[in-house]
């Protein structure tokens, strides 16, 4: 694989260099699939027993059912907290991937919330938008384009 180099500058004019490989669609897909297994396991091992103990119905359907709301909260908290504090989720860790800002700075709360909450919501609403990763130079999804981030193969 050929390494790519990206140069960008901040408002002071300092340049940041990234020499490495961007994570493509399939690597990100497999990492995301593993994250879905982790989130599903959290729901089945923790949330479901708590709901049963509190006598809250698990089979109730609807957009605003208690189970749907809690599942959505677990989903977003997992991605937001893991990305903010570690720069990667468990799925990304397994595949050696990491979320980085294009300007080389640390991920901020604003960046992470915008990327993981708003950007991912839009991408998930129109699933075909995830395929954007395959066609952009820096392998960015729609949520990455909004937040000026990308996913790279973590140097080892």
């Amino acid at each position: 694989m050929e390494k790519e180099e990206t140069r960008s500058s901040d408002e002071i004019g300092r340049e940041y260099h990234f020499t490495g490989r961007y994570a493509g669609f399939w690597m990100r897909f497999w990492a995301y699939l593993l994250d879905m297994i982790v989130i599903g396991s959290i729901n089945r091992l923790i949330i479901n027993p708590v709901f049963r103990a509190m006598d809250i119905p698990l089979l109730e359907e609807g957009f605003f059912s208690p189970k749907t709301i809690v599942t959505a909260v677990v989903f977003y908290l997992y991605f937001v907290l893991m990305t903010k504090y570690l720069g990667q989720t468990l799925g990304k860790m397994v595949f050696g991937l990491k979320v980085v800002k294009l300007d080389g700075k640390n991920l901020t709360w604003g960046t992470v919330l915008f990327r993981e909450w708003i950007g991912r919501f839009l991408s998930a609403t129109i699933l075909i938008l995830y395929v954007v990763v395959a066609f952009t130079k820096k392998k960015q999804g729609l949520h990455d384009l909004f937040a000026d981030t990308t996913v790279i193969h973590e140097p080892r």
Side-chain angles (χ1 to χ4, degrees):
M1 284 260 166
E2 213 175 288
K3 291 190 176 201
E4 298 182 33
E5 183 173 326
T6 298
R7 294 174 190 239
S8 60
S9 59
D10 62 12
E11 58 278 353
I12 300 172
R14 293 181 297 212
E15 283 195 0
Y16 298 97
H17 300 279
F18 167 71
T19 304
R21 292 185 310 143
Y22 296 107
F25 174 80
W26 288 110
M27 289 297 289
R28 292 172 68 159
F29 172 80
W30 294 118
Y32 183 76
L33 189 60
L34 184 56
D35 288 329
M36 292 298 93
I37 291 169
V38 169
I39 292 169
S41 298
I42 291 169
N43 287 329
R44 286 179 193 87
L45 294 172
I46 299 171
I47 305 303
N48 288 1
V50 169
F51 270 47
R52 282 190 192 103
M54 296 175 69
D55 203 26
I56 299 172
L58 291 170
L59 298 176
E60 184 180 328
E61 292 188 27
F63 195 69
F64 294 107
S65 72
K67 175 113 188 304
T68 302
I69 292 169
V70 171
T71 300
V73 168
V74 168
F75 176 90
Y76 284 110
L77 282 177
Y78 172 81
F79 280 101
V80 167
L81 296 176
M82 294 289 291
T83 302
K84 172 59 180 141
Y85 289 114
L86 301 173
Q88 55 195 162
T89 59
L90 292 174
K92 285 183 182 74
M93 286 179 196
V94 168
F95 289 95
L97 307 178
K98 189 166 192 158
V99 178
V100 296
K101 284 189 55 110
L102 291 177
D103 64 7
K105 295 179 182 175
N106 291 331
L107 293 170
T108 64
W109 278 109
T111 299
V112 171
L113 288 173
F114 198 74
R115 179 185 191 274
E116 299 297 340
W117 206 302
I118 298 167
R120 192 174 294 276
F121 177 78
L122 291 174
S123 293
T125 303
I126 308 169
L127 290 175
I128 193 71
L129 293 177
Y130 273 116
V131 179
V132 170
V133 171
F135 301 104
T136 58
K137 181 180 175 186
K138 297 176 186 171
K139 305 296 183 194
Q140 294 171 283
L142 187 64
H143 52 292
D144 290 312
L145 290 168
F146 286 149
D148 286 332
T149 60
T150 192
V151 178
I152 61 168
H153 288 272
E154 187 175 32
R156 295 188 187 242

